Amino acid sequence: VGVAVEPMTQASLMALDWGTTSLRAWLLDRDGRVVEHRQTDDGILKVPIGGFPPVFATIAGPWLAAHGPLPALACGMIGSRQGWIEAPYAPCPCTVGDLPSRLAIANATFGHLAIVPGVAWDPGQRPPDVMRGEETQIFGALGEAQFDGLFVLPGTHSKWVVVEAGRIQRFATYMTGEIFAVLRQHSILGRGMAADDLHDAAAFGDGVRSGLGGSDLLHRLFEVRSLGLFDRLSAKAAPSYLSGLLLGSEIAAARAGFGDTHGHVTLIGAAGLVQRYVEALAVAGIAARPAAADVTVRGLWRIALAAGMIAA
Amino acid sequence: VGVAVEPMTQASLMALDWGTTSLRAWLLDRDGRVVEHRQTDDGILKVPIGGFPPVFATIAGPWLAAHGPLPALACGMIGSRQGWIEAPYAPCPCTVGDLPSRLAIANATFGHLAIVPGVAWDPGQRPPDVMRGEETQIFGALGEAQFDGLFVLPGTHSKWVVVEAGRIQRFATYMTGEIFAVLRQHSILGRGMAADDLHDAAAFGDGVRSGLGGSDLLHRLFEVRSLGLFDRLSAKAAPSYLSGLLLGSEIAAARAGFGDTHGHVTLIGAAGLVQRYVEALAVAGIAARPAAADVTVRGLWRIALAAGMIAA
């Protein structure tokens, strides 16, 4: 007659968001709840060639030692050409069920790391577009809800994504965040700017209205300089104006491409940046609400379930 | 009874184009013909605070020693806030006759240096725009012809200028050249590019067509990356595609702002860059012809005449 032993742990999955500049990892229990969480700055830009297995071992080693064999699933730029192993792209339209057959498998010191494929929108008559990591966040935000809507994921490269009936239908990338950064740091526009990044709501709003008002971004960028020369924009307010101008330009272009509403507009991203987009979208008359903070781990859980990686 | 002595020289004006990265100076005779020419890299970015008088003395000293007292007139960024002395802006519409009353006068070791004012377009309901140096080139290209037309002056900051009956009527600046440079050197788009700048006419044309085709530049810039990821754009051709994309975007925006033709379209600038604009404008169905190479010195001569600086 045996003794019923409560298993030491309910751990069932190691979930990783392994991006360009950071690595976040969660240990999940059999219901998908977070048991433990780690975060490091070991993004793919920092890790040298051949360095991914030891970084992964640092995260996974203690969890495997404590909980026994566990599957591992990662999303993000770790699956890019500059990452550990290149994962393919799933074509649009794409459901969560289209991802498992395209997982890339990296051989780790202990077991394997499965890497979520990216998603590609390749309309043929126009150049293709790609995402890596955002698909996981979107499927996490959707959950089982399957609602139609527009997802906006601000960042270095913003994504605008049309979702219908649980499918990623089509999307477009806008280089807004990177353009802001390189203009701020390396162009004549940055020379006139104050060093700190205090948000000036009025200048930001003026910038958004200018960006929304015209399709001549290469010209309007020069406003940051000319308004400064005429003492109509202070060095302190200039970064907010430039930021608003770029967000307004992105919104105008995306609205022209995707139409006005698509039902829900959901924002996914860092809280501060999402707040700027809520403000800018409001100027354009578009109401948007932020997604929950844990959409990435929710998405990894859903993909792991779809892939049959989690023991029943 | 005296002896008729042929004067040692016919020199009548020292004309300077003193810009951001270079200084060109011409000694002109009483008919405005070039007697001597000097060029250095003493642009305002290189010259330290207090350094303008000695640089000017290096140019003017030998000419004054050889020819006696001569007036001196300069155009360009030497009249900006970062230059020797800030020259004002003449408002649009602006003829060559509107400039003399706004000359700025810098005190040099020998005599004075008069600096041509910039020109401002300040429509009130929109942010202002400014030029410095381009007004001199345009008045030089116009000569006494007074024709209507559109002038395009490509460069770090391209200018599109509407001229009617000898007047600069209105204009717009496009930051095309600087955006290309910062994206090439500092963004992810530059990482995939070959180091040399071989012109790829096919990729350039594809870029121009994409830039002409949409008002969503922040999105289309990402094409340089996505086409590369799908092996549809080589590292060698990528700079030409990006250049074409930006020129196409500039042309689309300017055409929307200024209309299609305005009679003559005249290009003023460095020969290689002008050739690219001729190609890009041709894709857009706009015929353009380069101006003569000496428009800057022609313009300085006209302004000096209008200002009464030249002894009759």
Side-chain angles (χ1 to χ4, degrees):
Chain A
V1 185
V3 179
V5 177
E6 178 74 9
M8 236 183 77
T9 175
Q10 300 289 322
S12 71
L13 179 70
M14 297 185 289
L16 291 83
D17 175 13
W18 204 335
T20 303
T21 58
S22 74
L23 165 59
R24 294 187 298 161
W26 300 267
L27 181 67
L28 302 181
D29 73 11
R30 291 179 185 189
D31 298 314
R33 284 180 301 229
V34 175
V35 178
E36 283 187 59
H37 176 225
R38 298 209 200 300
Q39 176 154 7
T40 80
D41 61 354
D42 291 313
I44 69 162
L45 282 185
K46 190 188 155 188
V47 178
I49 291 170
F52 295 113
V55 170
F56 178 65
T58 308
I59 298 282
W63 287 345
L64 294 169
H67 305 282
L70 287 171
L73 179 65
C75 68
M77 293 302 280
I78 190 66
S80 70
R81 209 166 286 177
Q82 290 75 40
W84 190 340
I85 185 173
E86 191 171 2
Y89 294 103
C92 283
C94 173
T95 69
V96 72
D98 295 323
L99 301 181
S101 67
R102 292 178 176 86
L103 290 174
I105 307 297
N107 290 311
T109 316
F110 310 103
H112 310 288
L113 174 64
I115 300 177
V116 176
V119 174
W121 164 237
D122 190 2
Q125 68 283 54
R126 296 271 313 119
D129 210 327
V130 293
M131 63 169 67
R132 261 194 205 286
E134 292 89 353
E135 72 296 324
T136 302
Q137 296 179 296
I138 290 165
F139 289 129
L142 283 172
E144 304 303 326
Q146 310 275 308
F147 57 88
D148 295 359
L150 191 59
F151 286 79
V152 180
L153 299 93
T156 305
H157 298 166
S158 287
K159 311 283 180 187
W160 287 62
V161 187
V162 174
V163 171
E164 291 171 16
R167 291 187 308 270
I168 294 176
Q169 203 68 26
R170 63 194 177 97
F171 64 93
T173 302
Y174 300 82
M175 292 188 66
T176 313
E178 185 166 10
I179 301 291
F180 177 81
V182 298
L183 290 176
R184 171 93 199 243
Q185 292 163 35
H186 301 290
S187 82
I188 196 172
L189 303 185
R191 273 186 237 162
M193 285 183 186
D196 57 333
D197 248 329
L198 205 66
H199 182 58
D200 184 313
F204 179 78
D206 288 345
V208 171
R209 275 179 288 277
S210 180
L212 287 171
S215 58
D216 49 352
L217 181 62
L218 290 172
H219 166 58
R220 287 179 192 247
L221 288 170
F222 193 67
E223 293 174 357
V224 179
R225 178 160 169 77
S226 64
L227 286 169
L229 285 172
F230 281 67
D231 297 322
R232 297 183 202 166
L233 180 65
S234 71
K236 216 164 170 172
S240 295
Y241 187 89
L242 175 60
S243 172
L245 177 58
L246 289 168
L247 265 63
S249 180
E250 174 186 328
I251 292 166
R255 183 154 62 176
F258 293 117
D260 244 338
T261 57
H262 287 274
H264 297 279
V265 177
T266 306
L267 283 159
I268 299 176
L273 193 55
V274 161
Q275 180 51 35
R276 292 292 158 267
Y277 272 73
V278 168
E279 289 171 33
L281 287 162
V283 175
I286 300 172
R289 46 160 211 194
D294 66 345
V295 292
T296 308
V297 65
R298 289 298 98 222
L300 286 163
W301 179 253
R302 280 193 72 200
I303 296 164
L305 281 176
M309 292 173 68
I310 298 163
Chain B
V1 184
V3 178
V5 176
E6 178 74 7
M8 238 183 74
T9 176
Q10 300 290 322
S12 71
L13 178 70
M14 298 184 290
L16 290 83
D17 175 13
W18 203 336
T20 304
T21 58
S22 74
L23 165 59
R24 295 187 298 161
W26 300 268
L27 182 68
L28 303 181
D29 72 10
R30 291 179 187 190
D31 298 314
R33 284 180 302 229
V34 175
V35 178
E36 283 187 58
H37 176 223
R38 298 210 200 300
Q39 177 154 7
T40 79
D41 61 354
D42 292 313
I44 69 162
L45 283 184
K46 191 188 155 189
V47 178
I49 291 169
F52 295 112
V55 170
F56 178 66
T58 308
I59 298 283
W63 286 346
L64 293 169
H67 306 281
L70 287 171
L73 178 66
C75 68
M77 293 303 279
I78 191 66
S80 71
R81 210 166 285 177
Q82 289 76 40
W84 189 341
I85 185 173
E86 191 171 3
Y89 295 103
C92 282
C94 172
T95 69
V96 72
D98 295 322
L99 300 181
S101 66
R102 293 178 176 86
L103 291 174
I105 307 297
N107 291 312
T109 316
F110 310 102
H112 310 289
L113 174 65
I115 300 176
V116 176
V119 174
W121 163 238
D122 191 2
Q125 67 283 55
R126 298 271 313 120
D129 209 328
V130 293
M131 63 169 66
R132 258 192 207 289
E134 292 89 354
E135 71 297 322
T136 302
Q137 295 180 297
I138 290 165
F139 289 128
L142 283 172
E144 304 303 326
Q146 310 274 310
F147 58 88
D148 294 359
L150 191 59
F151 285 79
V152 180
L153 299 92
T156 305
H157 297 166
S158 286
K159 311 283 180 187
W160 288 62
V161 186
V162 174
V163 171
E164 290 171 16
R167 290 188 306 271
I168 295 176
Q169 202 67 25
R170 62 195 177 96
F171 65 92
T173 301
Y174 300 83
M175 292 189 65
T176 311
E178 184 166 10
I179 301 290
F180 177 80
V182 298
L183 290 176
R184 171 89 198 247
Q185 292 164 34
H186 301 290
S187 82
I188 196 170
L189 303 184
R191 274 186 236 163
M193 288 183 183
D196 56 332
D197 250 326
L198 205 66
H199 182 59
D200 183 314
F204 180 77
D206 288 345
V208 171
R209 276 179 287 276
S210 180
L212 287 171
S215 58
D216 49 351
L217 181 62
L218 289 172
H219 167 59
R220 285 178 192 248
L221 287 171
F222 192 69
E223 292 174 358
V224 178
R225 178 160 169 79
S226 64
L227 287 169
L229 286 172
F230 282 65
D231 297 322
R232 297 183 202 164
L233 180 66
S234 71
K236 217 164 168 170
S240 294
Y241 187 89
L242 175 60
S243 171
L245 178 58
L246 289 168
L247 265 64
S249 181
E250 174 187 328
I251 292 167
R255 183 154 63 177
F258 293 116
D260 244 338
T261 57
H262 288 272
H264 297 280
V265 177
T266 306
L267 283 158
I268 299 176
L273 191 56
V274 161
Q275 180 51 34
R276 294 291 160 267
Y277 272 74
V278 168
E279 290 172 34
L281 286 162
V283 175
I286 299 172
R289 47 159 211 195
D294 65 346
V295 292
T296 307
V297 65
R298 291 295 99 226
L300 285 162
W301 178 254
R302 280 194 73 202
I303 296 164
L305 282 175
M309 293 172 69
I310 298 163

